[in-house]
C-alpha cells in the first residue's frame, strides 16, 4: 500500500470543502491496487473500511446463495453498511471483478475525522443521504418495475456493463434467470 498522490486525493474528496492542511488529509487514506477476483471483504469478516472506487468494478454478493446484491463502478463510495456501521460480521462479500484502484478509509479514522472536523462530519452525512436515496430507488425499482424495465434502466445508467460484468451476475442482480435475461436482451420479453 502507498499513499495516493495529491491530485488523486483532491479528486477523492471533491465533494467536501478543502482542508487547510493537505498533508494531514493525505495520511488518512490508503491506496489499494487489486487484482480481478480479489476479495475486499470476506464472508463473516467485519468490514472496517469505507472504499472509493477510482477504477474497476466491484461486486457485492450474499455468500449463502452467491446472489449479486449490487455492484459499483468507478467514482463511487461503497462498503458493507451493516457490518461497517455496527462493527459486526458481514453476511456479504465484496469482490473486485476487474483490476481495480481503490482508496480505503478505516472506520476508526473516519470516526476520528468526523469528531474533530465539522467539514468531515458534514461530508459523511451528505454521503449517507446520497446512499440512502440510491437504496430507496433500487428498492422501488424492484417492487414496481418489471425485469425488462430494470434491465434497460441498468443499460442506460451503465452502457458498457454487459462487457464488464458476467451475464450471470446481471441476471442475479435483476432477480431473474439467465434464460429470462437472454429473452429480454433478444427483445422476446
Amino acid at each position: 500500500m502507498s499513499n495516493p498522490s495529491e491530485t488523486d486525493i483532491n479528486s477523492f474528496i471533491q465533494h467536501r470543502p478543502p482542508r487547510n492542511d493537505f498533508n494531514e488529509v493525505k495520511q488518512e487514506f490508503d491506496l489499494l491496487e487489486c487484482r480481478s477476483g480479489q476479495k475486499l471483504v470476506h464472508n463473516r469478516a467485519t468490514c472496517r473500511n469505507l472504499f472509493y472506487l477510482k477504477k474497476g468494478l466491484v461486486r457485492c454478493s450474499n455468500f449463502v446463495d452467491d446472489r449479486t446484491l449490487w455492484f459499483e463502478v468507478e467514482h463511487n463510495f461503497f462498503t458493507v453498511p451493516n457490518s461497517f456501521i455496527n462493527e459486526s460480521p458481514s453476511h456479504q462479500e465484496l469482490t473486485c471483478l476487474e483490476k481495480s484502484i481503490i482508496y480505503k478509509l478505516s472506520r476508526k479514522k473516519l470516526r476520528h475525522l468526523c469528531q474533530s472536523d465539522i467539514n468531515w462530519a458534514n461530508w459523511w452525512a451528505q454521503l449517507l443521504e446520497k446512499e440512502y436515496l440510491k437504496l430507496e430507488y433500487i428498492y422501488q425499482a424492484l417492487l414496481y418495475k418489471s425485469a425488462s424495465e430494470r434491465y434497460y434502466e441498468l443499460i442506460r445508467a451503465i452502457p458498457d456493463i454487459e462487457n464488464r460484468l458476467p451475464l450471470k451476475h446481471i441476471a442475479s442482480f435483476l432477480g431473474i434467470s439467465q434464460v429470462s435475461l437472454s429473452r429480454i436482451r433478444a427483445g422476446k420479453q
Side-chain angles (χ1 to χ4, degrees):
M1 283 185 246
S2 61
N3 283 333
S5 71
E6 185 167 329
T7 50
D8 290 339
I9 287 294
N10 285 335
S11 172
F12 176 77
I13 59 174
Q14 65 186 328
H15 300 294
R16 71 180 250 349
R19 291 275 300 223
N20 292 335
D21 185 359
F22 177 78
N23 288 326
E24 183 182 332
V25 172
K26 185 168 78 170
Q27 293 175 11
E28 303 300 336
F29 302 95
D30 291 318
L31 178 65
L32 304 174
E33 294 183 16
C34 303
R35 68 186 186 292
S36 179
Q38 184 173 337
K39 296 218 185 286
L40 298 170
V41 176
H42 293 269
N43 61 5
R44 296 191 176 93
T46 300
C47 180
R48 301 186 192 285
N49 296 296
L50 173 68
F51 301 99
Y52 177 81
L53 185 59
K54 180 178 178 185
K55 182 180 181 203
L57 181 65
V58 173
R59 173 181 178 244
C60 178
S61 60
N62 180 323
F63 66 85
V64 173
D65 61 3
D66 198 37
R67 180 178 174 134
T68 301
L69 303 174
W70 50 264
F71 47 89
E72 287 298 343
V73 293
E74 288 87 359
H75 311 297
N76 283 297
F77 289 92
F78 63 97
T79 191
V80 179
N82 189 29
S83 179
F84 181 76
I85 291 169
N86 294 318
E87 296 182 280
S88 61
S90 175
H91 299 289
Q92 301 163 353
E93 291 184 324
L94 296 178
T95 307
C96 295
L97 296 179
E98 297 176 346
K99 184 175 177 184
S100 299
I101 298 173
I102 299 171
Y103 291 109
K104 75 173 185 172
L105 178 62
S106 75
R107 183 182 192 282
K108 183 178 178 180
K109 286 181 183 179
L110 177 60
R111 285 275 219 228
H112 172 74
L113 289 167
C114 288
Q115 290 170 353
S116 64
D117 185 333
I118 190 67
N119 290 324
W120 276 97
N122 289 336
W123 173 83
W124 178 236
Q126 290 170 357
L127 179 64
L128 289 174
E129 288 172 358
K130 179 183 166 194
E131 292 305 305
Y132 174 82
L133 292 173
K134 184 166 68 173
L135 287 174
E136 182 181 17
Y137 177 80
I138 292 169
Y139 174 74
Q140 294 294 326
L142 289 173
L143 280 178
Y144 299 111
K145 295 187 178 184
S146 70
S148 182
E149 290 171 316
R150 293 192 311 269
Y151 168 76
Y152 287 113
E153 269 189 36
L154 177 63
I155 298 304
R156 275 193 301 277
I158 310 168
D160 65 343
I161 197 66
E162 290 181 305
N163 297 326
R164 299 177 68 191
L165 192 65
L167 294 179
K168 68 180 183 178
H169 294 325
I170 294 173
S172 176
F173 173 71
L174 295 172
I176 60 176
S177 69
Q178 284 187 259
V179 172
S180 294
L181 178 58
S182 294
R183 288 183 183 137
I184 290 169
R185 294 176 71 219
K188 296 177 182 176
Q189 202 173 45

